[in-house]
Amino acid sequence: MTTTTGPPPRELRDFYENPAVPVASGAPRSLRQARMLARALGPAATRGARTVLDIGCGDGTAAATAAPLLPGHRVIGVDWSQDALRRARTRIPYAVRGELTGGGLPFASGSADAVLFSEVVEHLVDPDAALDEIRRVLRPGGHLMLSTPNLAAWYNRGLLLAGVQPVFSEVSLRRIHGRPGTEVVGHLRLYTPRALREFVAAAGFDVVRLEGAPFHGMPRPLRPLDRLACLRPQLASILLLHARRT
């Protein structure tokens, strides 16, 4: 997913406007997160229609995955990248440009019932300001569904012991150094489950649940083990956190 903070340094701006940079995450993570959100909101027919913002929507994959599970609710994609928004508009009805810093999101305070924040926080220069802005647009009790790679994933623990750079971490925007993989996606920060819980709580949210999800780029022979690791979020590839605005 691309970032919505802005304006970023020119190097990051150019990086995220490059059409070759991935702006979508895996379907397994998107589906698990969408199910968490559907359980939290409940059916629109009985609880009323709700407004869901997919902040850092990228190409709209996460919002398009969630929409069938949220009938009657309104899902709006938000992203900083114009290229990402062009792609998102082919998948979802509503996609608008917005930034988490600077001028802020184009929504009134307390106007959103839920925010999807799918693998965006690891890209941000100022994640504290980002959560402050998300908290502003959420109503009291509103839901935050945040996903991010797990620094303490089962394989990263072994890689660090071997002196290898952890998966998901990057030291350059130009190429991969010191770890497996070849795809540069612009990760600036990584979180362990404990750090993520503390960070979100300090921003004014109550953490409701933390689950794990598999990594869509996992080599096929390791996928069964990666799915098994989801039973313990501390070891999972991807962290799915549900929190509520205080």
Side-chain angles (χ1 to χ4, degrees):
M1 298 300 171
T2 52
T3 69
T4 53
T5 56
R10 183 167 183 81
E11 294 82 1
L12 282 177
R13 181 189 296 271
D14 293 342
F15 178 83
Y16 287 118
E17 286 290 5
N18 181 354
V21 173
V23 292
S25 299
R29 189 275 303 152
S30 296
L31 188 57
R32 287 181 185 227
Q33 191 173 42
R35 286 171 176 162
M36 289 175 68
L37 179 56
R39 289 195 300 268
L41 290 181
T46 57
R47 297 190 185 180
R50 299 289 186 260
T51 297
V52 179
L53 305 181
D54 182 3
I55 299 178
C57 67
D59 68 359
T61 298
T65 300
L69 301 179
L70 303 170
H73 298 303
R74 186 185 186 199
V75 181
I76 304 172
V78 186
D79 209 287
W80 171 84
S81 167
Q82 295 286 14
D83 178 73
L85 287 172
R86 282 191 292 271
R87 286 184 265 178
R89 289 172 182 140
T90 67
R91 292 182 169 91
I92 55 178
Y94 308 104
V96 301
R97 192 175 189 276
E99 300 177 353
L100 284 166
T101 58
L105 296 169
F107 303 99
S109 297
S111 60
D113 299 285
V115 164
L116 280 171
F117 204 42
S118 305
E119 288 164 67
V120 177
V121 70
E122 65 271 15
H123 297 270
L124 301 182
V125 175
D126 189 351
D128 301 283
L131 283 197
D132 287 346
E133 181 63 2
I134 289 173
R135 190 174 186 276
R136 181 189 70 80
V137 300
L138 276 174
R139 63 168 174 79
H143 303 277
L144 170 63
M145 298 292 175
L146 183 155
S147 66
T148 191
N150 182 10
L151 177 59
W154 60 275
Y155 40 82
N156 279 344
R157 298 177 186 226
L159 291 174
L160 279 171
L161 285 174
V164 178
Q165 188 82 7
V167 175
F168 308 123
S169 66
E170 297 175 341
V171 299
S172 170
L173 291 178
R174 298 178 180 177
R175 59 185 61 88
I176 294 298
H177 298 286
R179 72 158 174 83
T182 59
E183 190 174 73
V184 179
V185 293
H187 290 174
L188 304 180
R189 302 176 184 276
L190 288 177
Y191 299 79
T192 64
R194 178 177 177 178
L196 185 64
R197 282 179 174 273
E198 292 183 2
F199 169 63
V200 171
F205 293 85
D206 288 330
V207 176
V208 177
R209 187 175 180 84
L210 184 70
E211 296 184 8
F215 174 43
H216 67 281
M218 182 64 59
R220 187 175 298 275
L222 297 177
R223 289 177 187 176
L225 186 56
D226 197 41
R227 288 194 294 269
L228 183 63
C230 294
L231 297 176
R232 295 195 62 188
Q234 297 87 344
L235 300 176
S237 286
I238 306 296
L239 302 173
L240 304 179
L241 182 139
H242 173 202
R244 300 194 70 173
R245 182 197 184 281
T246 56

